[in-house]
Amino acid sequence: MESYLPHEANLANAMGSRWNSTNQRLARLDSVPNARDLGGLRTTDGRTIKHGRLFRSAVLASASENDVAFLRDELGINSVVDLRTAYEVNRKPDIAIEGTEFINMPIEDKRNNFWMEMLKHPGTLPEKIQSFARSAISKRMMSHMYTGFVMDEFCQLQYAAFLERLIDEGSNKNILWHCSQGKDRTGLISAFLMFALGCNRDTVVEEFALTNYYYKEVVDEALRQLYDSGGDKNDASVIEALLGVRVDYFEAALDHIDLQFGSMENYLSDVLVLTTENRKQLQSIYLE
């Protein structure tokens, strides 16, 4: 079976220059897909997030020398927050960047560990993904993924600690955060930060969905293989969630927050312990 995993597909090579000419937020790295700057996104009060301060990406474990130089010299990244578990970090540690601090703040929902469930299946990693997609449990696990992340108490503490770190160190740090593919855990952290900075839901959802721009070739190839081997649309939804993002699953988690806590504002203040003063501090650092 032909491999279609993101780090092997090297999607970033197809993006042209270091910065995509059609969207100045999309940074091209040789071996790190899904990299972008939150700068330029607009808040509800008409301000924008500053360029060059807040970056998200996939794992830096395979970063090339050119990538490291670009992150260090062009983007000025001096703080990297790794959202992966200790197992993931030990298996594929990030490439060191001189002068940059690396912090591990793992996000993990142990009650819905779809990745470990997928790894139980036999064969190569692409074969495991195809087999997992056909299993009875896969769609339920994937469709509840984001809801599990937003409700898990350990994850909530990590989200709060991440936002606190941005407040404490943001004035003199250009920060990049990532997980493995830079889409699920990274996407949720980015969403909470954007809400805290004052972005509306449409902006947050659109930014979250941008991941599918990077992984389109990966997802399309996996779906081709799935359908060629007899898979159906239910199986396809699992592939789309594993290798890209399902925006409807993400929006279901946002709806769940509104249902359980009344609003995202309440979630930020009551669960993530982000006070009005905290938000003003964040906004003063990162908005213009």
Side-chain angles (χ1 to χ4, degrees), residues 23 25-26 34-37 41 56 204-216 245 247:
N23 188 329
R25 296 200 302 108
L26 307 184
N34 212 5
R36 54 194 187 264
D37 180 0
L41 293 173
R56 53 174 292 182
V204 171
V205 171
E206 182 179 350
E207 209 291 322
F208 181 86
L210 190 56
T211 281
N212 285 334
Y213 170 86
Y214 284 90
Y215 290 126
K216 184 180 187 305
V245 293
V247 175

